[in-house]
Amino acid sequence: MSAPTSPEPVQLVPGNTLLTKTPEEGRQLAVKMARLIIKATQPDAAVRERLRPIYAEDPAMLIAIGQTVAQEFATIAAANNYWR
Amino acid sequence: MSAPTSPEPVQLVPGNTLLTKTPEEGRQLAVKMARLIIKATQPDAAVRERLRPIYAEDPAMLIAIGQTVAQEFATIAAANNYWR
Amino acid sequence: MSAPTSPEPVQLVPGNTLLTKTPEEGRQLAVKMARLIIKATQPDAAVRERLRPIYAEDPAMLIAIGQTVAQEFATIAAANNYWR
Amino acid sequence: MSAPTSPEPVQLVPGNTLLTKTPEEGRQLAVKMARLIIKATQPDAAVRERLRPIYAEDPAMLIAIGQTVAQEFATIAAANNYWR
Amino acid sequence: MSAPTSPEPVQLVPGNTLLTKTPEEGRQLAVKMARLIIKATQPDAAVRERLRPIYAEDPAMLIAIGQTVAQEFATIAAANNYWR
Amino acid sequence: MSAPTSPEPVQLVPGNTLLTKTPEEGRQLAVKMARLIIKATQPDAAVRERLRPIYAEDPAMLIAIGQTVAQEFATIAAANNYWR
């Protein structure tokens, strides 16, 4: 029932680089990297789908997701020397 | 009912730059970037509107929002070499 | 009733600078900046007043406030090259 | 009853410096700075005394206190160039 | 019953280095290092196995795991000079 | 009953240095420093012993412990220039 449906290892860093052309792309990478950790921890797509409406309508969890993305983005921004 | 009302991708970094003229503008950018992650995660404006009074009257969530902004601002401030 | 009483935009960085003369003043700025995010998110002074005794007597929230201030202070301290 | 008993402003950075002779003293400063934010937010010593057994016997709060100290210490350690 | 089944000390940093060839390997190291702290704190494999379905189906805990990995990865990425 | 059993001040930084020979030793130091803050906040060994099975079987607390160690380790790793 809750058996993993994607047993192949999840790629955790899309493109295998932290370098992006723009801050916008860096932010998108931060969002993706945050999601991929969730995916690696809960590989069952059906479970993740069931959890989605729970966190998407819970303000505390939405705020926590924002904190995760902020942390990932800090690293990506430093890697890109802040796109200065 | 909870169907997304803005399916077009959300712009995550307004102006596509972390550079601002002043600390005040940098702080405003931090607030906006934090909100845009919420928007991208919960694209339904009606749901976000319904959640607003919940977090705005919950001291623990207000504090958590403050933590998110502080994290975003740390990155923006470093990008701007602290407006020294 | 819960209508915002201060609709004018909140100034988020007092003095519009992160630079302070001393660590003590830097710490005070961190506290103010943390509070101003709360104020911007919940502009109704009456609501904030009602919430105050809740978080001020809740140890978990007091600890969370401390974490927010620590994060803001980290940025301010770096901006000031740690007042070395 | 819950009236503040110490209305004078709390000194937030003991000694008004982040510089310490040793890591041990830096760690002690981190603990003190974390506590002083609690004191400034809840100036009533009697309330703080009442809250103490609550957080001191709650593992989640003890862990959260550890996170606060870790954050303060990160700043102090950087200020001291890690006492290298 | 809850007696530790692996009393030998857990190795906390696989390979005893933070340096990796690629961001992807750095991310995998972050995941492993986060898990090894859990293992060191709860050495009983049977208990960890029992806890797994709890956090893997709890969105708040999945988000918190993401925050932990983000923190570990920030350190690893800095150690590798961001694989620039 | 809950009277502190070790009233002597707790040493917060074992060896009074952040410098270690290897990442593994740095990680062990991070774990120790995190624990010593708990010990300083709750000096009663009997209470700490009673709390241990609570957090060791609670996945949310285990995750939070991981976050604390990650924060401490970030500082120690920087102090050691990442053992490059």
Side-chain angles (χ1 to χ4, degrees):
Chain A
M1 205 137 99
S2 284
T5 57
S6 58
E8 73 279 6
V10 174
Q11 194 196 9
L12 297 175
V13 182
N16 203 4
T17 179
L18 300 183
L19 305 182
T20 71
K21 265 178 276 180
T22 65
E24 181 71 23
E25 289 176 31
R27 195 77 170 165
Q28 290 165 354
L29 179 57
V31 172
K32 279 182 206 155
M33 284 174 63
R35 284 187 186 152
L36 287 166
I37 293 300
I38 306 288
K39 190 174 174 182
T41 310
Q42 177 44 271
D44 187 333
V47 173
R48 292 199 309 274
E49 210 51 43
R50 179 158 54 75
L51 299 180
R52 188 174 163 69
I54 299 174
Y55 67 72
E57 305 205 11
D58 182 308
M61 291 191 206
L62 286 169
I63 294 165
I65 288 168
Q67 290 175 350
T68 315
V69 172
Q71 282 177 305
E72 302 287 13
F73 185 67
T75 302
I76 293 166
N80 287 279
N81 202 23
Y82 305 101
W83 302 274
R84 279 190 201 120
Chain B
M1 203 136 100
S2 284
T5 57
S6 59
E8 72 280 5
V10 174
Q11 195 196 9
L12 297 175
V13 182
N16 203 3
T17 179
L18 300 183
L19 306 181
T20 71
K21 265 178 276 180
T22 64
E24 181 71 24
E25 289 177 30
R27 195 77 170 163
Q28 290 166 355
L29 178 58
V31 172
K32 280 183 206 154
M33 284 175 63
R35 283 187 186 152
L36 287 165
I37 292 300
I38 307 287
K39 190 174 174 182
T41 310
Q42 177 46 271
D44 187 334
V47 174
R48 292 199 308 274
E49 211 50 44
R50 180 158 53 75
L51 299 179
R52 189 175 163 69
I54 299 174
Y55 66 72
E57 306 204 9
D58 182 308
M61 291 191 206
L62 285 168
I63 295 165
I65 288 169
Q67 290 175 349
T68 314
V69 172
Q71 283 177 305
E72 302 287 13
F73 185 67
T75 302
I76 294 166
N80 286 279
N81 202 23
Y82 304 102
W83 302 275
R84 278 191 200 119
Chain C
M1 204 136 101
S2 284
T5 57
S6 58
E8 72 280 3
V10 174
Q11 195 197 8
L12 297 175
V13 183
N16 203 4
T17 180
L18 300 183
L19 306 181
T20 71
K21 263 177 277 179
T22 64
E24 181 71 24
E25 289 176 30
R27 195 77 171 164
Q28 289 165 354
L29 179 57
V31 172
K32 279 183 205 154
M33 285 175 62
R35 284 187 186 152
L36 288 165
I37 293 299
I38 307 286
K39 190 175 174 182
T41 310
Q42 177 47 271
D44 187 334
V47 173
R48 292 199 308 274
E49 210 50 44
R50 180 158 53 75
L51 299 180
R52 189 176 162 68
I54 298 174
Y55 66 73
E57 306 205 9
D58 181 308
M61 292 191 207
L62 286 168
I63 295 165
I65 287 169
Q67 290 175 349
T68 314
V69 172
Q71 283 177 304
E72 302 287 13
F73 184 67
T75 302
I76 293 167
N80 286 279
N81 201 23
Y82 305 101
W83 302 275
R84 277 188 201 123
Chain D
M1 206 135 99
S2 284
T5 57
S6 59
E8 73 280 4
V10 174
Q11 194 197 8
L12 297 175
V13 182
N16 202 5
T17 179
L18 300 183
L19 306 181
T20 70
K21 263 177 278 180
T22 64
E24 181 71 23
E25 289 177 30
R27 195 78 171 163
Q28 290 165 354
L29 178 57
V31 171
K32 279 183 206 153
M33 284 174 63
R35 284 188 186 151
L36 288 165
I37 293 299
I38 307 287
K39 190 174 174 182
T41 310
Q42 177 47 270
D44 187 334
V47 174
R48 291 200 308 275
E49 211 50 44
R50 180 158 52 77
L51 299 180
R52 188 174 164 70
I54 298 174
Y55 66 73
E57 305 205 8
D58 181 309
M61 290 190 207
L62 286 168
I63 295 165
I65 287 168
Q67 291 175 350
T68 314
V69 171
Q71 283 177 304
E72 302 288 13
F73 184 67
T75 302
I76 293 166
N80 287 280
N81 201 25
Y82 306 101
W83 302 275
R84 279 190 201 120
Chain E
M1 205 137 97
S2 285
T5 58
S6 58
E8 74 279 6
V10 174
Q11 194 196 9
L12 297 176
V13 183
N16 203 4
T17 178
L18 300 183
L19 305 182
T20 70
K21 264 178 276 179
T22 65
E24 181 71 23
E25 289 176 30
R27 195 75 170 165
Q28 289 166 354
L29 178 57
V31 172
K32 280 182 206 154
M33 284 173 63
R35 285 188 186 151
L36 288 166
I37 293 300
I38 306 288
K39 190 174 175 182
T41 311
Q42 177 45 271
D44 187 334
V47 173
R48 291 200 309 275
E49 210 51 43
R50 180 158 53 76
L51 299 180
R52 188 174 163 69
I54 298 174
Y55 66 73
E57 305 205 9
D58 182 308
M61 291 190 206
L62 286 168
I63 295 165
I65 288 169
Q67 290 175 349
T68 315
V69 172
Q71 283 177 305
E72 302 287 13
F73 184 67
T75 302
I76 293 166
N80 287 279
N81 202 24
Y82 305 102
W83 302 275
R84 281 190 199 119
Chain F
M1 207 136 96
S2 285
T5 57
S6 59
E8 73 280 5
V10 174
Q11 194 196 10
L12 297 175
V13 183
N16 203 5
T17 178
L18 300 183
L19 305 181
T20 71
K21 264 178 276 179
T22 64
E24 181 72 23
E25 289 177 30
R27 194 77 170 165
Q28 289 166 354
L29 178 58
V31 171
K32 279 183 206 154
M33 285 174 63
R35 285 190 186 149
L36 288 165
I37 293 300
I38 307 288
K39 189 174 176 183
T41 311
Q42 176 47 270
D44 187 334
V47 173
R48 291 200 308 275
E49 210 50 44
R50 180 159 52 77
L51 299 181
R52 188 173 164 70
I54 298 174
Y55 67 72
E57 305 205 9
D58 182 309
M61 291 190 206
L62 285 169
I63 295 166
I65 288 168
Q67 291 175 349
T68 314
V69 172
Q71 283 177 304
E72 302 287 13
F73 184 67
T75 302
I76 293 166
N80 287 280
N81 201 25
Y82 305 102
W83 301 276
R84 280 190 200 121

